[in-house]
Amino acid sequence: MEVTRPTRKLTAMAALEAVRVAVTRARELGVAVNASVVDAGGREIAFLRGDGAFLPSGQIARDKAYTAAGFGIPTGVFYKALSGEPDVLAGITGQPNIAAFPGGVPIRVENELIGGIGVSGASAEQDDICARAGLAAIGLE
């Protein structure tokens, strides 16, 4: 029986680049966002508040990153999966740090979950575009 296995971890510089590109992409779209990257355990590695981004959206970006890493699926998919179960949706989204709307994407390397990125401050669609741009910038789309 195997008792250990090697794991991969996202570097701080990669996390910083991902949030930088997410915020830059938002600016190109004409919006301001906050972006957060967390590790596989949900601990924040990098955060960037875009110029003019709503202050409360910072926590929402963190929650999206945490949710994507914690459940291993994009937060928009997470919402759709639970939408037919209103009691479950209410119970899960009532927990601290859970966000069930687009803008959070898990970060994987060769199918190994290594973290999540969350973006908040624009429309759900724009948040998702920016999060995916951050991942693409580090080669992990």
Side-chain angles (χ1 to χ4, degrees):
M1 171 178 66
E2 233 179 290
V3 294
T4 64
R5 66 179 175 87
T7 59
R8 296 180 181 188
K9 295 184 179 192
L10 193 61
T11 66
M13 295 310 290
L16 187 60
E17 179 67 1
V19 296
R20 185 192 70 75
V21 169
V23 168
T24 299
R25 181 69 179 112
R27 191 174 59 233
E28 293 167 355
L29 294 172
V31 295
V33 300
N34 296 279
S36 173
V37 169
V38 301
D39 66 16
R43 294 171 297 273
E44 192 168 63
I45 302 170
F47 176 83
L48 183 60
R49 180 174 179 238
D51 296 333
F54 299 119
L55 189 58
S57 293
Q59 185 59 50
I60 297 168
R62 289 177 174 102
D63 293 347
K64 288 179 180 182
Y66 177 84
T67 302
F71 288 96
I73 58 175
T75 53
V77 172
F78 179 63
Y79 174 78
K80 287 178 185 170
L82 297 177
S83 63
E85 299 285 339
D87 293 335
V88 175
L89 179 62
I92 290 176
T93 58
Q95 299 303 306
N97 307 112
I98 301 298
F101 38 94
V105 182
I107 303 173
R108 295 183 185 279
V109 172
E110 296 176 6
N111 212 30
E112 181 181 350
L113 182 68
I114 62 169
I117 184 170
V119 174
S120 181
S123 71
E125 180 184 1
Q126 290 167 323
D127 287 351
D128 197 60
I129 288 167
C130 295
R132 292 177 188 282
L135 289 185
I138 59 172
L140 298 176
E141 47 192 322

